[in-house]
Amino acid sequence: MPRSTSPGRTPDAATSSESTDSTRQRIVAAAKEEFARHGIAGARVDRIAKQARTSKERVYAYFRSKEALYAHVAERETTALVEATQLDPADLPGYAGILFDHFAARPDHYRLITWGRLELAESADNTTSPLQATIVGKLDKLRDAQRIGLLDPAWDPVDVLALINQIAMTWAGQPEIAAAAADQAVDPSITARRAALVTAVERMFPRPD
């Protein structure tokens, strides 16, 4: 039986489109790994192309520069982070735990965004970026929580968000201490590390009764 295609598309056109999409997906996947490992300056488009089983020319056909490719990958990863880590102002310890889980499962994500912060410092000043919009939205939630008595109004919401994020990423950002914990911690399990940071946030920002 002939394979069905979308209206107005021949089987050859459909096959070509599917191949194009597949190539682009391979490029993005390879770029994510390359940028996480080597950063932006250290990443090489020829390695990305080889890993993606395509050519440098094809990579540049999709993305005009290495920086544009990084920007695309970083935006996808940030979107995934935002979707996976919704903030509940009534459960800030739980939010810290969710952040911890995300970075524990995806250490490549932490490395990827850290390289961007180091090498593209000007991007942090972009007040119109999707990430900045997400931050503003979380701050609004924290202010609303203060207004209705769910969060101590003595705290500035920007400090609350910064402290929780930093605590949640403690182990992702300090792999040398995480390695030492394997031998030196009373309980070396990842469960113990998670429980410690959730408890720290709970003591700072207790759940409302």
Side-chain angles (χ1 to χ4, degrees), residues 81-104:
L81 171 64
V82 170
E83 292 176 350
T85 58
Q86 298 294 316
L87 183 147
D88 179 357
D91 186 11
L92 296 180
Y95 171 65
I98 290 172
L99 281 174
F100 173 87
D101 292 340
H102 179 86
F103 288 110

Side-chain angles (χ1 to χ4, degrees), residues 80-203:
L81 171 64
V82 170
E83 292 176 350
T85 58
Q86 298 294 316
L87 183 147
D88 179 357
D91 186 11
L92 296 180
Y95 171 65
I98 290 172
L99 281 174
F100 173 87
D101 292 340
H102 179 86
F103 288 110
R106 303 178 67 177
D108 57 321
H109 176 88
Y110 182 84
R111 293 193 298 270
L112 183 75
I113 62 175
T114 299
W115 281 116
R117 287 169 175 165
L118 291 172
E119 299 187 56
L120 300 174
E122 68 277 5
S123 64
D125 299 327
N126 182 2
T127 58
T128 63
S129 70
L131 179 57
Q132 286 296 321
T134 297
I135 291 171
V136 170
K138 290 181 178 180
L139 294 175
D140 286 342
K141 285 185 177 182
L142 292 172
R143 293 188 185 96
D144 289 341
Q146 289 177 321
R147 279 194 288 269
I148 62 177
L150 295 179
L151 179 64
D152 185 351
W155 286 96
D156 191 314
V158 296
D159 292 324
V160 175
L161 188 60
L163 287 168
I164 294 175
N165 284 352
Q166 192 62 43
I167 292 171
M169 292 186 283
T170 292
W171 297 104
Q174 300 186 84
E176 65 283 355
I177 299 182
D183 296 323
Q184 302 296 322
V186 175
D187 181 348
S189 70
I190 190 172
T191 301
R193 306 286 75 76
R194 186 187 195 278
L197 69 87
V198 169
T199 298
V201 175
E202 172 70 36
R203 290 180 180 178

Side-chain angles (χ1 to χ4, degrees), residues 51-108:
Q51 181 68 20
R53 306 191 306 279
T54 189
S55 65
K56 288 177 62 174
E57 292 73 19
R58 181 60 65 87
V59 174
Y60 285 122
Y62 288 114
F63 303 97
R64 66 182 182 278
S65 66
K66 183 169 64 171
E67 291 73 20
L69 177 53
Y70 173 83
H72 176 78
V73 172
E75 183 175 351
R76 289 178 76 251
E77 289 299 292
T78 300
T79 298
L81 171 64
V82 170
E83 292 176 350
T85 58
Q86 298 294 316
L87 183 147
D88 179 357
D91 186 11
L92 296 180
Y95 171 65
I98 290 172
L99 281 174
F100 173 87
D101 292 340
H102 179 86
F103 288 110
R106 303 178 67 177
D108 57 321

